[in-house]
């Protein structure tokens, strides 16, 4: 996305939404709920369930909840000028995606 010159705000939102879906998968599995309905997937999107489940296995529920909180905090701190968005996003990604 960076190579394609996507705005950093769009990258932040995309990552937030992706991690949110992984978190929804974890919660749905924990409480034995239907994953597709929890994610509000349409019938032609059912192939996504397997992809998200595979990715969610690499994270613990608490880690996903924590990364979502950090992305929200980053967004808030960026909006009030406390942190550069790109630096904050890189820090989050390095912390959680390099394990």
């Amino acid at each position: 996305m960076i190579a394609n010159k996507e705005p950093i705000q769009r990258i932040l939102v995309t990552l937030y939404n992706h991690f949110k879906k992984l978190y929804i998968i974890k919660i749905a599995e924990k409480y034995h709920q239907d994953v597709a309905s929890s994610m509000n997937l349409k019938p032609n999107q059912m192939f996504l369930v397997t992809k998200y489940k595979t990715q969610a296995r690499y994270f613990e529920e608490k880690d996903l909840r924590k990364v979502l909180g950090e992305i929200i905090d980053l967004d808030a701190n960026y909006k009030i000028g406390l942190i550069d968005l790109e630096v904050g996003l890189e820090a989050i990604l390095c912390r959680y995606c390099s394990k």
Side-chain angles (χ1 to χ4, degrees):
M1 292 180 85
I2 291 173
N4 291 332
K5 306 288 187 212
E6 291 286 340
I8 194 74
Q9 294 88 351
R10 181 176 290 158
I11 296 171
L12 179 73
V13 170
T14 301
L15 286 172
Y16 175 80
N17 287 331
H18 188 75
F19 280 112
K20 182 174 77 170
K21 289 173 184 171
L22 297 179
Y23 183 69
I24 290 169
I25 290 281
K26 285 289 195 182
I27 297 298
E29 289 177 338
K30 179 179 178 180
Y31 293 105
H32 308 290
Q33 300 294 316
D34 179 51
V35 173
S37 64
S38 297
M39 293 178 62
N40 296 321
L41 294 178
K42 296 175 181 139
N44 64 341
Q45 296 176 315
M46 295 307 291
F47 69 96
L48 293 172
V49 172
T50 304
K51 291 182 181 239
Y52 285 125
K53 279 185 175 182
T54 301
Q55 291 178 18
R57 287 188 197 128
Y58 293 102
F59 298 93
E60 296 292 326
E61 177 188 335
K62 63 181 175 64
D63 293 331
L64 290 168
R65 186 174 48 242
K66 191 172 179 182
V67 74
L68 288 171
E70 288 190 26
I71 291 173
I72 291 168
D73 291 343
L74 171 61
D75 184 51
N77 289 332
Y78 165 72
K79 287 178 179 173
I80 59 173
L82 292 178
I83 191 167
D84 179 72
L85 191 56
E86 190 168 346
V87 171
L89 190 54
E90 288 174 358
I92 291 170
L93 290 174
C94 287
R95 195 168 25 256
Y96 292 100
C97 297
S98 62
K99 291 181 180 183

